[in-house]
Amino acid sequence: HMGDGVYAIASLNGRKLYVATLGAGGTIVQMTSYAVGHRIRRIVRLDACRCLLLTEVFDSDRTGPLVEANVCGKGVIYETSST
């Protein structure tokens, strides 16, 4: 939960981050997807707009890059290199 009815939802196999905005009564009024390019294992909220995504390499036990995403309309803004 990012605050103000905004939720970040990870797609493990689709390698996307979905951002859902809920309206009155809990109905989805807006859904946006951002291509991350890696399987998302965990979402860590940094503030009302930014979250850090722990990723992994597809079909591997290797940890992927850390990805910083801005759910206030800017998408993926920073990615570390994976090792």
Side-chain angles (χ1 to χ4, degrees), residues 11-70:
S11 169
L12 184 63
N13 289 326
R15 298 180 237 164
K16 290 185 179 184
L17 176 70
Y18 292 92
V19 179
T21 304
L22 302 184
T27 59
I28 295 175
V29 294
Q30 182 177 352
M31 177 77 81
T32 308
S33 68
Y34 299 101
V36 175
H38 306 282
R39 294 172 59 131
I40 302 169
R41 297 303 286 174
R42 183 155 312 206
I43 300 172
V44 178
R45 179 181 176 198
L46 299 176
D47 58 34
C49 285
R50 296 178 309 126
C51 58
L52 191 63
L53 309 176
L54 175 62
T55 68
E56 70 179 23
V57 177
F58 187 71
D59 288 338
S60 171
D61 290 332
R62 289 187 13 221
T63 301
L66 290 173
V67 177
E68 183 180 335
N70 185 316

